[in-house]
Amino acid sequence: MKCIEVKENLNSFLDGEIDISAKNKIEMHLENCVSCKVELENLQTISSSIKQILPIAVPAFLDEKVLNTFENFHKQKNKAKEKPVKTGLFGIPNLAFATAFILLALFSGSAFQIGRILASNVEVASPAQNENFRELPNENFKKATIAQNDSGEKNNEKSPEIKIVEIPVIQEKIVEVPVIKEKIITRTVYVEKTEKKETPNPLKDSTKDNVALNSSLKDGSFLTQTNLKDFQPVSEVKARITKKGENE
Amino acid sequence: MKRDIKQHLIERAIDGDAEAFGEIYFLLRNSIYRFAFRMTKQEPIAEDITQEVFMFFIKFPEKFDESKGTFFSFLCGVARNKILNHLKKSGTRLETNNFEIQEFENITNGKGNSPLKELLNKEFNEKVEECIAELSPFQREALLLREMEDLSYEEIAEIIKADVGVVKSRLYRARQTLVNELAPYLESKEENVYEVH
């Protein structure tokens, strides 16, 4: 076996991780080779030195911390096992159903109502008689009833004592609010037909029966352009007087 | 082997037997802590990692598979993952050595005599410890698991999730590095041997 091959396997030889045949070959080589022998001794020195490095003590608080963590973990685990939850519909616990029903009963109704809790020994004040106030119809209330704490009631054998508190009901006040309507007024200007004298009317003398007056009637901010047949324009119109036969 | 944990002890610990868990803990905690400390070089980090390793077993005992290795190898694997996560976060390169080029200190006294008689094993051990700390994390873990925890190549391979060949390679490079770095001290020891003879 050559030195290169021996030196490559010295670590495995040192750690005992080598097969028997290779081990024998290396041992034979080491008997005759000082260089490889020195290298092996160096490895052994370092290896033994590493093993002699002073051990590091684990701090005492760490031991306590880990052991307590173990105990607490298993305590909680055992607690979870001991109390099975009674399930009802769809595997949902009965307690969850009861809680959901009570919450629904308390908060249902109109947005302005608060659920009333009735009690046998609590007087509920009647709403003030005022024409401006209107008590909301009773059908809007959904009275939340909690098991009463009567003695000997079969439904309440295990229920705790319930403190009943009266909650005032907010009533609605009706106020009439005037409605403002906006009316759009359309202005139409008409000119009445008047009795006419035989005055020269350039419009009438026009060759066309229907004349579209090219002028505009100005009435304030309105500009009206219309067929003024049979109508006499209000505004003055400049007329061009022509002699008879001039345009023939 | 003193770290062999019997299966029934592990099963009792999983069931919540505090005594069984305590027995396992006190048997293995030094090794885990030592490994974590030598790798991270920080006591607080080593304490945290040791605690997390055992808490991992408490919470996830089903992760231990007897067919894949010993219980100690399993804990070392958990510790290794946490150590490497810490080293990565701190920016350590896992395959790089940190040796600085230093001139060899003249360890001879004024009269030029070899100070080997004055050089205690303790000093040499300290130097060895310093050199180990400067190895790359991959080489260091292989060396520590082999030298300090006396694990086989196969067990080390299971922990680092690599082949036996990789273990051999890393061990070879780690030891060669130490031989080179400690050569002056090793030469002195050789001289001492020669002096004796």
Coordinates of all heavy atoms in Angstrom, one line a residue, chain B residues 190-197:
Chain B
E190 N 7.0 16.4 19.3 CA 7.8 15.4 18.7 C 9.2 15.6 19.2 O 9.9 14.6 19.5 CB 7.8 15.6 17.2 CG 6.6 15.1 16.5 CD 6.5 15.6 15.1 OE1 7.5 16.0 14.5 OE2 5.3 15.5 14.5
E191 N 9.6 16.8 19.4 CA 11.0 17.1 19.9 C 11.1 16.5 21.3 O 12.1 16.0 21.7 CB 11.3 18.6 19.9 CG 11.5 19.1 18.5 CD 11.7 20.6 18.5 OE1 11.6 21.2 19.6 OE2 11.8 21.2 17.4
N192 N 10.0 16.7 22.0 CA 10.0 16.2 23.4 C 10.1 14.7 23.4 O 10.8 14.2 24.2 CB 8.7 16.6 24.1 CG 8.7 16.3 25.5 OD1 9.7 16.5 26.2 ND2 7.6 16.0 26.1
V193 N 9.5 14.1 22.5 CA 9.6 12.6 22.4 C 11.0 12.3 22.1 O 11.6 11.3 22.6 CB 8.6 12.1 21.2 CG1 8.9 10.6 21.0 CG2 7.2 12.3 21.7
Y194 N 11.6 13.0 21.1 CA 13.0 12.7 20.8 C 13.9 12.9 22.0 O 14.8 12.2 22.2 CB 13.4 13.5 19.6 CG 12.7 13.2 18.3 CD1 12.5 14.2 17.3 CD2 12.1 11.9 18.1 CE1 11.8 13.9 16.2 CE2 11.5 11.6 17.0 CZ 11.3 12.6 16.0 OH 10.6 12.3 14.8
E195 N 13.6 14.0 22.7 CA 14.4 14.3 23.9 C 14.4 13.2 24.9 O 15.4 12.9 25.5 CB 14.0 15.6 24.5 CG 14.4 16.9 23.7 CD 13.9 18.1 24.4 OE1 13.3 18.0 25.4 OE2 14.2 19.2 23.8
V196 N 13.2 12.7 25.0 CA 13.0 11.6 26.0 C 13.8 10.4 25.6 O 14.5 9.8 26.4 CB 11.5 11.2 26.1 CG1 11.4 9.9 26.9 CG2 10.8 12.4 26.8
H197 N 13.8 10.1 24.3 CA 14.5 9.0 23.9 C 15.9 9.3 23.6 O 16.7 8.4 23.2 CB 13.8 8.4 22.6 CG 12.4 7.8 22.9 ND1 12.3 6.7 23.7 CD2 11.2 8.3 22.6 CE1 11.0 6.5 23.8 NE2 10.3 7.4 23.1

